């Protein structure tokens, strides 16, 4: 919720534009997916990989930002009425009236801004200075639904459990038993709780309210003799008055510092209570209903379901609930033996096991009916696993124990492992065939194949997603009648019609190249087949490395296809305006050992490193400007290793091509070469294209440096303790094309930068070297921060930025340095979606068009925020970026920052398309992803789930520290000095 009070609320592949060429590691999977268009950014993050990641800024290779998500990801096409592919209408509810409500008329907004002008102007968390006016006015639907509140108060209670437990599964079960208790049951219609420590009620509850809850779990139907008894104390804390929230939403000056979060979070409890009882929650505010939803198989043991997201938001004069479709993967329920057998092919003669993505899944034992998490999967069979059993007279095998104790003759005594269902102190081995995987358990990180299948399933056009929200989401979430939920007893009503809001469509800026006709921008993209780069880079020499990896796509140095590829790419670089040598580049062939005998590719990587070093030693000091690396396939090891060798160890620019794409028909090859040429020119310091002076004026009216900041985190497939990676990129001149980067590592999963001041000093010095002066203005675009962390940016990162400025106040300079500073948060992990109401302003898939900007109707009351969709949604449901100005000494007007951000989105160097995220933030994301390559051994932990889960808390912390220090040593000094002033990451 982007409000002054509730500053709460956040890395998968982003723009298809960025997929030009084949740079990038294999795509990372993620746990949760919120479908989106092919610009995609929800389930994973920089192109051409997924974040994501979830963290999620979320999986690539390992998911960065929590659970991430594929939200309404865009069209499989096909069925009638789906829109865009099947011949049906593409616009959701196009024939229904779409009238903007009176609360959103111009006079109402004018009075709000006038009221703001009476308040003191401060740079941190600035008030909205006005609303944008530029562009063509349009009307949209948004997946927000008006909520009406009662006048009366809500009652907020703290729930204390004694003896205390930190195990969420136990707490959830205690609340289930609490609801069945005769003292609590009469109040159920008008209470809601979080199954942990908070309860809200529409009526006052008797006090004191202390309830004894004897604990038991299925298959037991009642407590056993001597069962553990928990005391649940429900203690009144405060009244929550809806009138205060209504004053806040009206924009009253005295409500500016009101914190709506307690009431908003209480409302979320109420609105989600039905879903929490009938569905499965995965992540925050996302619910899935496997029993009543269509499933799709993603691979062995993995299936996906569509679910729904729900969250209450406060906007100007209206409370809203944001509802969206989302997807996630679940473990297929059934017998554990069958799951293990499905993975037996890859066991290479060892005991079958499961991928780490299965995690600590829960199983129900057949012989006792107990539900337990699997601590680990063993490496021995039931026949070969023994333990000391006094009851049976000494040492006995697991096979014999179950035969004698329970009369069970195992079907797989020798070919399947046993599993440990015990505790940290004691192992309890149970045959896999006696374990049933219980339903509703989320799956971890998806592999490439599973991810591709997930995208196919989650890729639905906007009309399909809008109909799913209204027709399926509302009843499943319990937001519509006839479902009886606490919503009714709280006096809350929800409109079943999507909010109608005003928006605008901004025109594209004018682009220019050095030679050729000015490009014609259409739907956010343009063609560059016959133009020259504004500033072509100089190539003194270059190498071509063919990595032969068992597919024999290139027979040898004299292969005609290879020679034609090299000649064609060289010609493309020359025609594009780059200075390229006439003589043929050095051709290097590297034959890798088969993956079967080198599973982590250690031998293969050493061979590549040795080849690079030997060729460098034989070059008489002539370093190549870049190396073109031709790959036969993609895996989790070779690409990241080559990037580390080039960027960190040897200081050599590397550019990759996939041979399957590079050796193709002439037309496709030429486009592929054009895309890769964009990268080469940018890496070597060139300028591909520029915007006209009018589009750049907001940046050039004063000496300005644009900064992008991002942090990527280790994902579910990483070793515990692996550091997070921070990146800061900054422009070096008035063209705002070149953005060299500084990288650092910090504590695992720490979002706020720990070395921001040193990184910014490094970038300011680079700017000063080039311009002989420091910038007068600095505009920071900070990616990856949730709304709940806005104030943390001001508290933790702003002082470091100001500290960096002070480091230039030296005796030698004899002057203070204090540029004007603005900080803008870029958010892609939101669930706002916009739907055209008129096909005149929609693309062929029913999406809003590039240039769509929204700053009314669903935005914050006091905060200076807006949604901007600069790019085209090529397939699926497009998602705008949510920009929030959290610090502003430059006093930006709404039109200036909205149009400026939109126009600058056309300056992304490695594409001929506008991108979904302003380039500085996008580049910071790419730099983070490149940093992941340098720690790939820690981020891609392909060890299966056989051990490590039985350690105590102290042991785990010790292991995390050990991993962090090992990663820090592997990181070393980071980038090679030769790379530090270039866009090596592009």
């Amino acid at each position: 919720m982007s409000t002054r009070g509730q500053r709460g609320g956040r890395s998968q592949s982003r723009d298809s534009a960025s997929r030009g060429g084949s740079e990038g590691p294999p795509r990372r999977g993620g746990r949760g997916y919120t479908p989106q268009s092919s610009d995609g950014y929800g389930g994973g993050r920089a192109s051409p990989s997924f974040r994501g990641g979830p963290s999620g800024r979320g999986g690539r290779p390992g998911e960065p930002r929590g659970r991430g998500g594929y939200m309404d990801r865009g069209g499989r096409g096909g069925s009638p009425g789906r829109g865009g592919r099947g011949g049906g209408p593409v616009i959701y509810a196009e024939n229904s009236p779409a009238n903007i409500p009176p609360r959103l008329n111009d006079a109402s907004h004018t009075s709000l801004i006038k009221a703001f002008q009476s308040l003191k102007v401060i740079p941190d968390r600035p008030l909205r200075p006005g609303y944008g006016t530029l562009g063509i006015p349009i009307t949209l639907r948004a997946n927000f639904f008006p909520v009406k509140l009662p006048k009366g108060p809500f009652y907020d209670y703290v729930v204390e459990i004694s003896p205390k437990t930190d195990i969420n599964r136990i707490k959830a079960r205690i609340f289930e038993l609490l609801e069945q208790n005769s003292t609590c049951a009469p109040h159920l219609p008008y209470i809601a709780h979080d199954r942990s420590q908070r309860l809200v009620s529409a009526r006052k509850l008797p006090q004191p309210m202390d309830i004894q809850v004897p604990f038991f779990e299925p298959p037991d139907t009642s407590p056993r003799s001597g069962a553990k008894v928990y005391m649940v104390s429900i203690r009144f804390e405060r009244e929550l008055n809806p009138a205060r929230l209504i004053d806040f939403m009206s924009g009253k000056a005295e409500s500016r510092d009101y914190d709506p979060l307690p009431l908003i979070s209480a409302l979320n409890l109420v609105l989600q209570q039905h879903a929490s009882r009938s569905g499965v929650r995965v992540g925050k505010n996302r619910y899935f209903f496997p029993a009543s939803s269509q499933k799709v198989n993603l691979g062995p043991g993995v299936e996906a379901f569509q679910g729904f997201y729900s969250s209450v938001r406060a906007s100007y004069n209206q409370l809203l609930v944001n509802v969206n479709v989302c997807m996630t993967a679940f473990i297929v329920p059934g017998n554990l033996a069958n799951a293990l057998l499905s993975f037996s092919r890859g066991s290479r003669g060892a005991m079958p096991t499961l991928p780490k993505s299965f995690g600590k899944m829960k199983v129900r034992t057949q012989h006792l009916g107990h539900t337990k998490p699997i601590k680990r999967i063993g490496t021995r069979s039931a026949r070969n696993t023994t333990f000391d059993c006094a009851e049976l007279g000494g040492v006995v095998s697991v096979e014999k124990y179950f035969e004698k104790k329970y009369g069970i003759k195992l079907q797989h005594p020798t070919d399947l492992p046993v599993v440990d269902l015990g505790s940290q102190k004691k192992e309890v081995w149970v045959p896999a065939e006696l374990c049933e995987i219980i339903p509703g358990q989320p799956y971890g990180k998806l592999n490439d194949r599973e991810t591709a299948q997930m995208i196919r399933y989650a890729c639905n056009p906007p009309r399909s997603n809008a109909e799913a929200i209204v027709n399926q989401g509302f009843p499943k979430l319990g937001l519509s009648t006839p479902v009886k939920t606490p919503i009714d007893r709280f006096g809350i009503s929800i409109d079943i019609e999507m909010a109608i809001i005003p928006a605008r469509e901004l025109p594209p800026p004018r682009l220019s190249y050095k030679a050729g006709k000015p490009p014609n921008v259409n739907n956010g993209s343009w063609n560059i087949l016959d133009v020259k780069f504004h500033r072509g880079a100089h190539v003194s020499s270059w190498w071509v490395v063919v990595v032969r990896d068992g597919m024999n796509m290139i027979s040898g140095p004299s292969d005609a296809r290879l020679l034609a590829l090299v000649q064609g790419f060289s010609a493309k670089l020359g025609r594009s305006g780059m200075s390229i040598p006439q003589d043929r580049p050095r051709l290097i062939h590297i034959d890798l050992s088969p993956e079967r005998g080198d599973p982590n590719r250690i031998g293969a990587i050493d061979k590549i490193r040795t080849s690079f070093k030997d060729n460098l030693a034989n070059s008489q000091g002539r370093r190549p400007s870049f190396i073109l690396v031709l790959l036969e396939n993609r895996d989790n090891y070779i690409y990241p290793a080559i990037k580390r060798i080039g960027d960190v160890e040897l200081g050599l620019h590397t550019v990759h091509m996939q041979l399957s794409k590079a050796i193709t028909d002439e037309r496709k090859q030429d486009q592929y070469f054009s895309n890769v040429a964009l990268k080469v020119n940018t890496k070597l310091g060139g300028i591909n294209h520029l915007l006209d002076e009018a589009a750049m004026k907001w940046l050039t009216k004063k000496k300005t440096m644009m900064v992008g900041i991002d942090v990527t985190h280790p994902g579910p497939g990483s070793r515990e303790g692996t550091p997070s990676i921070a990146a800061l990129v900054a422009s070096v001149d008035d063209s705002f094309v070149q953005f060299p980067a500084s990288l650092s590592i910090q504590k695992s999963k720490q979002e706020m930068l720990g070395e921001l001041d040193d990184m910014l000093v490094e970038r300011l010095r680079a700017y000063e070297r080039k311009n002989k002066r420091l910038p007068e203005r600095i505009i920071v675009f900070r990616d990856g921060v949730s709304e709940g962390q806005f104030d943390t940016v001001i508290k933790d990162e702003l002082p470091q930025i100001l500290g960096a400025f002070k480091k230039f106040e030296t005796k030698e300079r004899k002057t203070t340095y204090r540029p004007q500073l603005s900080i803008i948060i870029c958010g892609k992990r939101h669930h706002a979606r916009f739907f055209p109401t008129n096909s005149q302003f929609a693309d062929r898939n029913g999406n809003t068009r590039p240039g769509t900007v929204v700053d009314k109707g669903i935005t914050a009351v006091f905060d200076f925020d807006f949604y901007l969709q600069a790019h085209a949604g090529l397939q699926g449901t497009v998602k705008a970026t949510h920009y929030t100005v959290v610090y502003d000494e430059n006093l930006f007007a709404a039109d200036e920052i909205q149009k400026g951000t939109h126009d600058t989105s056309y300056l992304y160097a490695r594409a001929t398309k506008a991108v979904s995220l302003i380039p500085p933030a996008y580049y910071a994301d790419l730099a983070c992803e490149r940093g992941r390559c340098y720690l790939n051994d820690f981020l891609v932990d392909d060890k299966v789930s056989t051990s490590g889960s039985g350690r105590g808390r102290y042991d785990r912390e010790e292991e995390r520290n050990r991993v962090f220090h090992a990663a820090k040593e592997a990181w070393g000094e980071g980038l090679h000095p030769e790379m530090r002033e270039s866009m090596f990451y592009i």
Side-chain angles (χ1 to χ4, degrees):
M1 169 105 210
S2 300
T3 62
R4 177 138 189 114
Q6 181 191 358
R7 298 166 181 176
R10 183 182 188 306
S11 214
Q12 322 210 11
S13 118
R14 273 211 184 120
D15 302 83
S16 57
S18 63
R19 295 174 189 164
S22 66
E23 287 285 333
R27 290 181 172 182
R28 300 186 306 167
R31 175 169 290 174
Y33 294 85
T34 317
Q36 63 209 14
S37 81
S38 60
D39 80 292
Y41 180 61
R45 248 165 44 87
S47 104
S49 54
F50 285 162
R51 193 169 249 188
S55 151
R57 183 134 155 262
R60 298 176 295 217
E63 188 176 6
R65 308 197 189 274
R67 293 170 189 258
Y70 288 120
M71 296 177 275
D72 34 312
R73 179 147 195 146
R76 289 179 295 166
S79 59
R82 171 157 271 194
R85 307 281 172 86
V90 298
I91 304 299
Y92 169 68
E94 184 171 19
N95 297 322
S96 300
N99 301 315
I100 295 173
R103 75 178 179 93
L104 299 179
N105 62 39
D106 291 340
S108 177
H109 286 109
T110 300
S111 63
L112 177 66
I113 299 303
K114 281 186 177 179
F116 287 173
Q117 290 169 354
S118 66
L119 298 174
K120 182 181 178 181
V121 176
I122 55 175
D124 65 310
R125 302 305 293 269
L127 291 166
R128 187 184 300 280
Y131 291 92
T133 60
L134 299 177
I136 301 171
I138 58 176
T139 300
L140 303 177
R141 284 185 169 85
N143 61 337
F144 292 75
F145 299 82
V147 176
K148 188 175 181 180
L149 286 175
K151 293 181 180 179
F154 299 158
Y155 302 95
D156 203 1
Y157 295 84
V158 174
V159 181
E160 296 174 346
I161 300 173
S162 180
K164 186 177 179 181
T165 177
D166 293 326
I167 303 173
N168 290 331
R169 177 181 63 86
I170 299 295
K171 285 194 283 190
R173 178 59 181 167
I174 291 171
F175 271 83
E176 287 178 9
L177 296 171
L178 177 68
E179 291 184 349
Q180 298 169 19
N181 187 280
S182 59
T183 304
C184 182
H187 305 289
L188 281 182
Y190 49 82
I191 65 171
H193 55 75
D194 64 359
R195 298 189 177 196
S196 178
Q197 60 188 13
R198 189 183 185 194
L199 182 148
V200 293
S201 176
R203 302 179 188 176
K204 275 190 175 180
L205 300 177
Q207 293 286 289
M209 196 172 190
D210 300 321
I211 303 173
Q212 287 190 332
V213 178
F215 190 83
F216 66 93
E217 291 185 277
D220 295 342
T221 56
S222 61
R224 296 183 181 182
S225 175
K228 191 169 188 176
V229 177
Y230 289 92
M231 176 63 74
V232 179
S233 300
I234 302 173
R235 180 171 52 81
F236 176 75
E237 184 178 27
R238 60 189 166 183
E239 286 189 7
L240 299 172
N241 187 356
R244 295 286 308 279
L245 178 60
I246 291 169
D247 288 345
F248 173 82
M249 292 189 297
S250 69
K252 289 184 178 179
E254 61 270 22
S255 295
R256 180 185 184 186
D257 293 317
Y258 165 73
D259 182 6
L261 180 58
L263 183 50
I264 293 288
S265 58
L267 289 167
N268 274 324
L269 285 182
V270 176
L271 267 61
Q272 295 174 16
Q273 197 65 194
H274 174 80
S276 70
R277 290 170 177 162
S278 62
V280 177
R281 193 182 79 174
V282 180
K284 188 177 181 181
N285 302 330
R286 300 189 308 133
Y287 293 89
F288 297 84
F289 309 88
S292 60
S293 302
Q294 181 182 353
K295 67 181 178 183
V296 63
N297 183 268
L298 301 182
V302 194
E303 59 191 13
F305 292 95
Q306 183 184 73
F308 297 91
Y309 167 93
S310 165
S311 181
V312 175
R313 315 281 291 182
S315 188
Y316 177 52
N317 274 338
Q318 183 64 66
L319 189 69
L320 302 160
V321 58
N322 179 203
V323 182
N324 195 26
V325 297
C326 51
M327 299 287 303
T328 205
F330 286 87
I331 298 168
V332 175
N335 191 268
L336 179 59
N338 294 333
L340 285 164
L341 288 169
S342 68
F343 286 96
S344 60
R345 288 184 182 177
S347 61
R348 298 187 176 97
M351 277 288 137
T353 190
L354 298 176
K356 286 189 70 173
S357 298
F358 279 78
K360 294 182 183 179
M361 66 177 175
K362 298 172 190 172
V363 295
R364 182 174 293 112
T365 60
Q366 292 179 357
H367 61 295
L368 295 176
H370 293 162
T371 298
K372 298 284 184 181
I374 295 178
K375 297 296 181 184
R376 57 177 170 154
I377 297 175
T379 56
R380 292 177 298 174
S381 68
R383 183 168 294 173
N384 292 332
T385 303
T386 59
F387 65 100
D388 192 18
C389 178
E391 181 184 356
L392 298 182
V395 176
V396 66
S397 70
V398 172
E399 178 189 17
K400 288 296 181 186
Y401 174 80
F402 277 88
E403 184 177 348
K404 292 181 178 180
K405 174 77 174 178
Y406 299 103
I408 298 174
K409 188 167 180 63
L410 299 180
Q411 301 297 310
H412 300 278
T414 60
D415 59 333
L416 288 181
V418 289
V419 296
D420 181 10
L421 304 184
S423 64
Q424 294 177 6
K425 297 179 180 179
K426 182 181 179 182
E427 296 173 339
V428 176
W429 295 108
V430 178
E433 64 191 84
L434 300 184
C435 299
E436 296 292 328
I437 302 169
I438 65 173
Q441 299 188 76
Y443 186 73
K445 176 185 157 188
L446 300 178
N447 62 32
D448 288 355
R449 186 176 299 176
E450 292 161 351
T451 298
Q453 186 72 359
M454 172 72 90
I455 293 171
R456 286 184 59 202
Y457 180 66
C459 194
N460 295 308
R463 180 172 181 260
S464 174
N465 284 325
E467 289 173 345
I469 289 168
V470 174
N471 299 332
Q472 300 169 38
F474 256 58
K476 286 186 176 182
L477 293 170
L479 301 180
S480 59
T481 54
V483 177
K484 289 295 181 183
T485 70
I487 293 174
D488 302 322
R489 297 297 184 94
F490 275 83
I492 298 169
S493 61
I494 304 171
D495 196 328
I496 61 171
E497 297 294 333
M498 284 191 184
I500 310 294
I501 60 171
R504 289 165 289 118
E505 198 176 278
L506 301 174
R510 292 182 179 178
L511 311 172
S512 67
Y513 288 83
K514 183 176 181 180
K517 290 170 55 179
N520 179 34
V521 177
N522 181 29
N523 199 32
S525 65
W526 62 97
N527 193 300
I528 62 162
L529 292 180
D530 300 311
V531 298
K532 288 187 181 295
F533 297 143
H534 248 291
R535 184 175 75 207
H538 174 73
V539 177
S540 58
S541 66
W542 58 302
W543 300 351
V544 176
V545 174
V546 181
V547 179
R548 287 161 45 100
D549 199 10
M551 299 179 69
N552 298 319
M553 297 176 71
I554 297 293
S555 60
S558 59
D559 190 307
R561 293 179 301 171
L562 172 63
L563 299 178
L565 185 158
V566 172
Q567 183 178 356
F569 186 60
S570 178
K572 168 58 71 175
L573 296 180
R575 288 196 305 272
S576 298
M578 294 179 64
S579 172
I580 190 88
Q582 294 301 310
D583 53 326
R584 199 169 76 179
R586 180 181 300 187
L587 299 180
I588 303 166
H589 284 254
I590 305 175
D591 291 304
L592 303 185
S593 55
E595 185 176 358
R596 182 181 296 267
D598 186 19
N600 293 334
R601 312 312 301 272
I602 295 172
I605 292 166
D606 284 341
K607 195 168 187 178
I608 294 169
R609 179 183 289 108
T610 300
S611 177
F612 277 30
K613 285 183 175 180
D614 289 348
N615 277 277
L616 204 55
N618 295 330
S619 297
Q620 292 81 45
R622 288 189 64 205
R623 300 170 64 85
S625 299
F626 75 96
I627 302 173
L628 176 65
V629 181
L630 303 177
L631 297 176
E632 289 190 330
N633 55 36
R634 297 159 65 100
D635 68 10
N636 287 329
Y637 303 101
I638 299 300
Y639 172 89
I642 292 174
K643 287 303 181 186
R644 178 182 169 88
I645 292 166
D647 296 353
V648 175
E649 298 176 20
L650 303 179
L652 298 171
H653 285 292
T654 56
V655 181
H656 289 67
M657 285 187 189
Q658 291 290 330
L659 277 168
S660 58
K661 295 181 180 180
I663 302 175
T664 183
D665 69 73
E666 188 175 337
R667 185 184 64 82
K668 289 182 179 179
Q669 187 185 66
D670 190 67
Q671 182 63 58
Y672 189 60
F673 286 172
S674 294
N675 290 334
V676 180
L678 294 172
K679 298 179 186 180
V680 174
N681 194 51
T682 305
K683 282 176 186 284
L684 302 186
I687 296 176
N688 296 341
H689 69 278
L690 293 173
L691 306 184
D692 70 0
E693 289 185 13
M696 297 299 294
K697 190 174 180 181
W698 78 291
L699 294 174
T700 57
K701 61 184 180 182
K702 284 186 178 181
K703 282 292 182 182
T704 301
M705 184 168 83
M706 297 182 83
V707 174
I709 299 175
D710 193 14
V711 179
T712 183
H713 305 293
S718 307
R719 294 166 65 183
E720 279 195 78
T722 298
S724 293
I725 301 169
L728 186 151
V729 306
S731 59
V732 294
D733 56 31
D734 289 347
S735 67
F736 299 95
V737 170
Q738 283 291 318
F739 283 80
S742 298
L743 296 176
S744 70
I745 58 173
Q746 58 193 42
K747 185 178 177 182
S748 186
K749 300 184 180 178
Q750 173 185 307
E751 179 60 43
M752 298 300 124
L753 274 73
E755 300 178 10
L756 174 54
D757 50 351
D758 292 338
M759 297 167 76
L760 184 56
V761 165
E762 186 177 18
R763 292 299 103 222
L764 283 166
R765 285 177 177 157
Y767 185 99
E768 187 178 37
R769 283 194 296 271
K770 181 149 188 173
N771 298 276
K772 312 304 179 189
R773 61 181 294 183
L774 290 166
E776 299 170 49
R777 300 192 307 165
I778 292 180
I779 307 172
V780 175
F781 288 89
R782 177 65 160 95
D783 195 9
V785 175
S786 70
E787 292 177 0
Q789 296 173 312
F790 286 0
D791 282 344
T792 310
V793 170
I794 301 300
K795 176 176 171 288
D796 293 351
E797 294 187 347
L798 174 62
Q800 292 189 68
I801 294 173
L802 300 179
F805 300 159
K806 283 191 171 294
K807 290 185 179 181
F808 288 86
E809 298 175 5
T810 62
K811 291 181 180 179
E812 294 77 15
R813 294 176 184 269
K814 299 178 181 178
T815 183
T816 60
Y817 178 58
R818 183 59 172 84
Q820 292 174 308
L821 174 67
S822 295
I823 303 174
I824 300 151
I825 306 294
C826 317
K828 288 289 285 185
R829 291 187 172 272
H830 62 79
H831 289 258
R833 299 294 181 274
F834 305 116
F835 304 92
T837 58
N838 187 329
S839 55
Q840 180 184 351
F841 297 103
D843 70 9
R844 63 185 181 86
N845 293 323
N847 275 311
T848 47
R849 301 192 300 192
T852 298
V853 61
V854 173
D855 63 359
K856 297 176 181 176
I858 64 162
T859 50
V861 181
F862 292 95
D863 275 352
F864 184 9
D865 70 327
F866 61 95
Y867 292 86
L868 171 66
Q869 178 209 325
H871 64 295
L874 301 184
Q875 59 176 351
T877 303
V878 72
K879 176 162 67 165
T881 297
H882 187 201
Y883 293 95
T884 304
V885 182
V886 297
Y887 190 85
D888 188 22
E889 296 174 347
N890 290 294
L891 301 179
F892 283 119
D895 277 327
E896 183 180 23
I897 191 66
Q898 291 172 13
K899 181 180 182 299
T901 303
H902 170 254
D903 290 348
T904 308
S905 297
Y906 282 76
L907 258 185
Y908 183 66
R910 78 179 202 187
T912 57
K913 297 177 185 289
V915 288
S916 64
L917 184 65
I918 194 165
Y922 207 145
Y923 293 148
D925 175 71
L926 292 179
C928 277
E929 293 309 309
R930 179 56 59 83
R932 298 178 73 88
C933 293
Y934 313 154
L935 295 179
N936 193 58
D937 289 346
F938 298 86
L939 289 162
V940 180
D941 184 6
D942 284 347
K943 299 180 182 69
V944 292
S945 55
T946 57
S947 62
S949 49
R951 294 173 299 179
R953 182 176 299 178
Y954 176 80
D955 291 337
R956 290 199 300 271
E957 184 61 33
E958 194 176 63
E959 174 67 8
R960 281 194 286 265
N961 290 334
R962 190 194 67 77
V963 169
F964 179 83
H965 289 296
K968 188 175 182 180
E969 185 176 344
W971 182 269
E973 296 298 315
L975 284 173
H976 192 283
E978 293 281 345
M979 311 296 284
R980 291 177 183 171
E981 300 310 317
S982 71
M983 293 178 71
F984 61 92
Y985 55 83
I986 199 74

